[in-house]
Amino acid sequence: MAVSLLTQTRQDRRENAIERLLTVTHDDMARVNAMILERADSHVDMVPELARYLIESGGKRLRPMLTVAAAALFGKGNGSAVNFAAAVEFMHNATLLHDDVVDESGMRRGKPAARMVWGNKASILVGDFLLGQAFMMMVETGDVAALAVLSAASATMAEGEVFQLAKTGDLTTTPEDYAEVIRAKTAVLFQAACEVGAMAGGADETGRKALSLYGLELGNAFQLVDDVLDYGGQSGTLGKNVGDDLREGKMTLPIILSLAEGSDAEKATITNTLGKADASAFEVGQVVAILNRHGTLTRTLEKARGHAEAAVAALGVLPESEMKTILADVVEFSVGRAY
Amino acid sequence: MAVSLLTQTRQDRRENAIERLLTVTHDDMARVNAMILERADSHVDMVPELARYLIESGGKRLRPMLTVAAAALFGKGNGSAVNFAAAVEFMHNATLLHDDVVDESGMRRGKPAARMVWGNKASILVGDFLLGQAFMMMVETGDVAALAVLSAASATMAEGEVFQLAKTGDLTTTPEDYAEVIRAKTAVLFQAACEVGAMAGGADETGRKALSLYGLELGNAFQLVDDVLDYGGQSGTLGKNVGDDLREGKMTLPIILSLAEGSDAEKATITNTLGKADASAFEVGQVVAILNRHGTLTRTLEKARGHAEAAVAALGVLPESEMKTILADVVEFSVGRAY
């Protein structure tokens, strides 16, 4: 009974981890959001129109929340965290604008993608503008060490996207290739967001490294879960947007593992659908059935859970605090999205 | 006779201004070129393949030469100039990659554009990679004031490109709009290249401002000349690539002035061809004839000459030196391209 109650409590805690993160970062995030609005402005009307359409389209702003939370964890916020948080969100949104052009995506966050409204050209150029503004906000802090972290993340993210593009539809892609793609395209920004937050908060070398590792592992777990959700989650339930990665030819872990283990007939079914932009729900369903048969969605989630545990473990060197508990619970929440 | 000799000598000096700039920046540019090669590298093969295809395709590297020349002008080079120069060239090449996607260009520097070889997707993402690497190189200098100049230039350039896109085919575009487009998309990077060079060279406030203004005015002149060259130069001579801006619907000064002054029939001829991607050489020729009739190519060049004179005048506050003479002659050379 006591165990059951404890389990219940922990589950509740996980489930409202984002709400608690929102609460404890509320004041800082109000400043971040004001800065985001201000810096997305321009005398060229199309810039704020397009930028705000995306930025205000209901993303959780998880990355900037992590930055200000990491700063608050060490308590000695010097104001730079707000700039870094806004910069991280701009970097993320610039990437989304360019990714939607590269992936030819029609939808983003439940709305038509910006490129469907303003076109590919404007999406590319406004992405560049947001990147430039991100660097300006960082530079204003004068913190060269943090600038090094964020500029390296910027280059690595683009490199990861190119690697993913080069591997599109490549049946020889290995689990190691995939691990490198998700580290570079996703985890490195989570890592930088947490690391520069810690730096802005006055963390020592131990604290900085702990938050860097926490962010990296959280980001890896996050992308693995995203890649499972693209096939309907652990249950393989079909719904809207399920199969986008498949239709785009993206070599994510469930596909890589299934190709390695499937029968010749199963492999043929996968390869016939992989990269087929107009694949029907039926064809996608056939592939999901193969993924379920080989348990590769479940195993991908187990891998995510491993990274999630590593993220929580990375915080172990730090003293207990409410913020530390929240950051640990956010990891659990992120993985829990797929169940 | 004496006057004629003097004129001859000045013309010779102008004509070999680029060669003299190459000579005096040779050692620094060897370091810049080595850094460019090194920083375009990646474990993702497509990145250096695409980046080097563009970077090594025979551009003059005028911007990075200006950076190291500006540093040498003040004599107290501290090594940062090499990083800034390589960063400026990466920013420029990132812009070219994205511009070629936005303009749907088939050719660049006499070769198929990178997007024709590797595709639009890779061109967008490798452009992002070069931008990230540019920021890393700047950050390594630890010079926050110079970082502020370069990051602001990055945001302004993108803003200028969006403004140009928004004005594409817009018959109400004014000469003031055009001036803002070329300042933002082109002149600001020349300005930043010269300004951070001066900063790296240890210039005082007067020197920094002089080089900043020099770069801005040189950049304005450079783009005006480019826009005249796109219609065949002052003589309006038709040749390959003539009319690209017209076919893309770009509202450059020769078109803006001709629309304001032309007869109804002339306006109709221009508007029928403007933005017509498959306009024939005959149709382009009809428009060029109108530009010549109203002297708008010549007047655009006169405007370029005004900016060129302002660039040379900006150097007036500085003591005479060989490098100063070379920088002044480079301006003359840049304008002379159109005759």
Side-chain angles (χ1 to χ4, degrees):
Chain A
M1 183 68 182
V3 172
S4 164
L5 262 177
L6 180 64
T7 309
Q8 185 61 45
T9 310
R10 282 172 69 182
Q11 192 173 332
D12 286 351
R13 265 179 33 206
R14 278 176 215 157
E15 279 180 2
N16 62 24
I18 293 292
E19 281 68 30
R20 283 153 57 222
L21 184 62
L22 278 166
T23 303
V24 295
T25 61
H26 179 273
D27 292 353
D28 283 338
M29 283 303 292
R31 293 164 65 203
V32 172
N33 292 334
M35 183 172 269
I36 284 174
L37 267 186
E38 182 195 331
R39 300 306 174 94
D41 205 6
S42 163
H43 68 94
V44 183
D45 296 341
M46 195 189 279
V47 172
E49 284 169 15
L50 191 159
R52 287 176 185 164
Y53 175 84
L54 172 65
I55 294 172
E56 294 175 355
S57 66
K60 288 181 302 298
R61 303 204 177 168
L62 180 56
R63 293 161 190 78
M65 279 201 288
L66 289 169
T67 301
V68 296
L73 181 65
F74 295 98
K76 285 181 281 182
N78 58 9
S80 296
V82 170
N83 280 54
F84 292 142
V88 162
E89 185 67 6
F90 271 27
M91 286 170 68
H92 175 53
N93 281 287
T95 305
L96 294 183
L97 287 174
H98 288 185
D99 283 359
D100 282 348
V101 173
V102 169
D103 293 341
E104 299 170 19
S105 305
M107 301 288 284
R108 163 71 63 187
R109 294 172 180 164
K111 295 202 299 185
R115 73 181 200 92
M116 305 304 284
V117 183
W118 285 274
N120 283 342
K121 300 175 180 190
S123 289
I124 296 168
L125 298 174
V126 174
D128 291 347
F129 172 77
L130 292 180
L131 264 185
Q133 291 290 80
F135 280 104
M136 284 182 74
M137 289 188 276
M138 297 171 209
V139 169
E140 283 166 20
T141 69
D143 183 340
V144 174
L147 277 163
V149 171
L150 288 163
S151 57
S154 178
T156 301
M157 287 163 70
E159 206 173 22
E161 295 284 349
V162 179
F163 193 35
Q164 175 174 270
L165 179 65
K167 290 289 175 189
T168 299
D170 180 349
L171 305 180
T172 69
T173 307
T174 64
E176 291 71 31
D177 292 333
Y178 170 76
E180 172 55 18
V181 166
I182 67 170
R183 182 194 74 83
K185 79 166 186 172
T186 303
V188 161
L189 186 58
F190 277 90
Q191 179 178 30
C194 294
E195 186 170 356
V196 299
M199 292 163 83
D204 62 10
E205 193 60 21
T206 302
R208 177 181 163 176
K209 281 186 180 163
L211 267 288
S212 171
L213 184 56
Y214 165 84
L216 179 71
E217 295 291 5
L218 170 59
N220 277 320
F222 191 90
Q223 187 60 54
L224 281 155
V225 169
D226 255 15
D227 291 346
V228 170
L229 285 171
D230 203 86
Y231 287 100
Q234 187 184 26
S235 61
T237 312
L238 289 178
K240 65 173 180 167
N241 295 331
V242 164
D244 280 354
D245 286 348
L246 183 67
R247 293 188 180 95
E248 290 165 12
K250 280 202 184 130
M251 301 303 295
T252 62
L253 193 57
I255 291 293
I256 294 169
L257 294 176
S258 299
L259 280 172
E261 300 165 13
S263 68
D264 286 351
E266 288 173 332
K267 278 187 224 178
T269 301
I270 294 173
T271 54
N272 286 339
T273 314
L274 191 67
K276 188 177 172 186
D278 61 351
S280 67
F282 176 74
E283 289 172 295
V284 173
Q286 283 186 308
V287 172
V288 172
I290 296 168
L291 305 188
N292 282 329
R293 205 173 303 143
H294 290 276
T296 58
L297 292 171
T298 304
R299 277 147 64 201
T300 300
L301 280 181
E302 279 164 11
K303 196 151 185 72
R305 184 150 293 289
H307 284 291
E309 284 165 8
V312 174
L315 301 175
V317 296
L318 304 173
E320 297 304 318
S321 68
E322 189 204 353
M323 191 62 88
K324 177 175 155 176
T325 306
I326 292 173
L327 288 175
D329 289 346
V330 165
V331 178
E332 295 295 324
F333 170 81
S334 294
V335 177
R337 292 182 301 150
Y339 292 96
Chain B
M1 182 70 182
V3 172
S4 163
L5 261 178
L6 180 64
T7 308
Q8 183 63 42
T9 308
R10 283 171 71 182
Q11 190 171 336
D12 286 350
R13 265 177 35 205
R14 281 175 213 158
E15 279 178 2
N16 62 23
I18 294 292
E19 281 68 31
R20 280 154 56 223
L21 185 61
L22 277 166
T23 302
V24 293
T25 61
H26 179 272
D27 293 353
D28 283 337
M29 283 304 292
R31 293 164 66 202
V32 171
N33 291 333
M35 181 171 269
I36 283 173
L37 265 187
E38 183 196 329
R39 300 307 174 94
D41 205 5
S42 163
H43 68 93
V44 182
D45 296 340
M46 196 188 279
V47 172
E49 284 168 17
L50 192 158
R52 287 177 186 164
Y53 175 83
L54 172 65
I55 294 172
E56 294 175 356
S57 66
K60 288 181 300 299
R61 304 205 175 165
L62 180 57
R63 294 161 189 79
M65 277 201 290
L66 288 170
T67 301
V68 297
L73 181 65
F74 295 98
K76 286 180 281 181
N78 59 9
S80 295
V82 170
N83 280 53
F84 292 142
V88 161
E89 185 66 7
F90 271 28
M91 288 170 67
H92 175 55
N93 281 286
T95 304
L96 295 183
L97 286 174
H98 288 185
D99 283 358
D100 282 347
V101 173
V102 169
D103 293 341
E104 300 170 18
S105 306
M107 301 289 282
R108 164 71 63 188
R109 294 173 181 163
K111 294 202 300 183
R115 74 181 201 94
M116 306 304 284
V117 183
W118 284 273
N120 283 342
K121 300 175 181 191
S123 289
I124 296 168
L125 298 174
V126 173
D128 290 347
F129 173 78
L130 292 180
L131 264 186
Q133 291 290 81
F135 280 104
M136 285 182 73
M137 288 188 279
M138 296 171 208
V139 169
E140 283 165 21
T141 68
D143 184 340
V144 174
L147 277 163
V149 171
L150 288 163
S151 56
S154 177
T156 301
M157 286 162 70
E159 206 172 22
E161 295 283 349
V162 179
F163 194 36
Q164 175 174 269
L165 180 65
K167 290 288 175 189
T168 299
D170 180 348
L171 304 180
T172 70
T173 307
T174 64
E176 291 72 28
D177 293 333
Y178 170 77
E180 172 55 18
V181 166
I182 67 170
R183 183 194 72 84
K185 78 166 188 173
T186 304
V188 161
L189 186 58
F190 276 90
Q191 179 178 30
C194 293
E195 186 170 356
V196 300
M199 293 163 84
D204 62 10
E205 194 60 22
T206 301
R208 178 181 161 176
K209 281 186 180 160
L211 268 287
S212 172
L213 184 57
Y214 165 83
L216 179 72
E217 296 292 6
L218 171 59
N220 276 320
F222 191 89
Q223 187 60 54
L224 281 156
V225 170
D226 254 16
D227 292 346
V228 170
L229 285 172
D230 203 84
Y231 287 100
Q234 186 183 25
S235 60
T237 311
L238 289 178
K240 66 175 179 168
N241 295 329
V242 164
D244 281 354
D245 286 348
L246 183 68
R247 293 188 179 96
E248 291 164 13
K250 281 202 183 130
M251 300 302 295
T252 61
L253 194 56
I255 290 293
I256 294 169
L257 294 177
S258 299
L259 280 172
E261 300 166 11
S263 67
D264 286 351
E266 286 173 332
K267 278 188 223 176
T269 301
I270 294 174
T271 55
N272 287 338
T273 314
L274 192 66
K276 188 176 174 187
D278 61 351
S280 67
F282 175 75
E283 289 172 296
V284 173
Q286 283 185 309
V287 173
V288 172
I290 296 168
L291 305 188
N292 282 331
R293 205 173 303 143
H294 290 276
T296 60
L297 292 171
T298 303
R299 276 147 62 201
T300 300
L301 281 180
E302 279 164 12
K303 195 152 185 71
R305 182 148 296 287
H307 285 291
E309 282 166 10
V312 174
L315 301 176
V317 294
L318 303 174
E320 297 304 318
S321 68
E322 189 202 353
M323 191 63 89
K324 178 177 155 175
T325 306
I326 292 174
L327 288 174
D329 288 346
V330 164
V331 177
E332 295 294 324
F333 170 81
S334 294
V335 178
R337 291 182 302 148
Y339 293 95

